Amino acid sequence: MARMMLDTNIISTAYLPRPPEWLWEWLESLPEGAIAIPWTTVYETEYGIRTAQRYNPAKALELLAWFTAFLESRITFPDMNVEAARLLGEMAATPAMKHFFLTEGRRNKNNELLKIDRIKLGGDAMLAALAIAHRMPIVTLNIRDFLFIHQLFPLPGLYNPQIDEWFVDPPVGWGFSDNANDDEADAWVKTRPAPR
């Protein structure tokens, strides 16, 4: 079964207070088993919800319940295998990609270095390494960084569902089988939030 790897922005957009209808229509149109969620997306989503918990505990609890149900549904979680780990190491050692891994220092008006408290683990590079190792196209709403990575480390496909466009074509022969049951969505689609 062909699978597509979702970037964090797909998950976070799907659970906006008023999620765009096109996104849920696209997700519901996919055959069962078509979605893969990398650990980076799980991590970034959990981090975002836990950070929001400080400011809006009730909303964060609602998001945590939805995210838990989402993760317990039948979704593929690609492993960080040896191939992906080695590829990520190569990416981190590539000078042109350092901005994915290092947080740039900021200075105040007196040219003093300010404390940096932003976590930067190279999420886009990690997702790209996983996608390459598992030969799964990436689905994202923010293609710019992935197009940059693709110049140095060719991706197995890059798709933006908002505009229904492939920016990097998937491999020859990749696709959903004709006998996939398009009428039966993944169980996680049932976690679609009610309109608010």
Side-chain angles (χ1 to χ4, degrees):
M1 155 61 75
R3 290 184 175 86
M4 306 172 92
M5 200 171 289
L6 299 189
D7 191 4
T8 306
N9 57 40
I10 299 293
I11 305 301
S12 58
T13 302
Y15 204 81
L16 287 171
R18 289 189 173 83
E21 191 61 31
W22 62 263
L23 179 55
W24 278 100
E25 287 174 1
W26 176 76
L27 289 168
E28 291 169 346
S29 75
L30 297 174
E32 184 176 350
I35 299 297
I37 306 296
W39 71 268
T40 54
T41 295
V42 175
Y43 159 76
E44 290 175 335
T45 303
E46 186 79 19
Y47 176 76
I49 293 170
R50 297 295 179 169
T51 301
Q53 197 169 19
R54 288 182 252 159
Y55 310 104
N56 191 343
K59 179 66 175 173
L61 287 175
E62 178 186 332
L63 289 170
L64 280 172
W66 173 80
F67 193 50
T68 299
F70 171 79
L71 294 176
E72 290 173 352
S73 60
R74 294 178 306 193
I75 298 173
T76 298
F77 298 96
D79 293 331
M80 176 53 95
N81 60 20
V82 172
E83 181 183 356
R86 292 190 71 191
L87 186 56
L88 183 61
E90 183 181 354
M91 289 177 176
T94 301
M97 296 212 20
K98 74 176 183 175
H99 65 282
F100 288 104
F101 300 94
L102 301 175
T103 302
E104 298 282 329
R106 293 181 301 152
R107 297 191 175 272
N108 65 14
K109 63 183 179 180
N110 298 323
N111 203 28
E112 298 166 329
L113 190 61
L114 300 172
K115 180 181 175 190
I116 299 169
D117 62 355
R118 184 171 176 223
I119 296 172
K120 193 164 188 179
L121 298 175
D124 287 346
M126 288 180 193
L127 194 153
L130 285 164
I132 293 166
H134 290 279
R135 291 148 190 80
M136 291 183 198
I138 296 171
V139 178
T140 185
L141 301 176
N142 181 11
I143 59 139
R144 187 187 64 176
D145 286 342
F146 292 107
L147 284 175
F148 180 86
I149 293 169
H150 177 68
Q151 293 174 24
L152 301 166
F153 298 90
L155 298 174
L158 181 62
Y159 178 73
N160 182 328
Q162 183 175 17
I163 56 177
D164 189 25
E165 184 173 342
W166 286 94
F167 287 83
V168 174
D169 288 333
V172 173
W174 181 92
F176 303 122
S177 65
D178 292 336
N179 60 3
N181 185 355
D182 291 297
D183 296 331
E184 185 178 333
D186 274 324
W188 74 270
V189 171
K190 295 175 184 160
T191 67
R192 180 178 182 168
R196 289 173 253 162

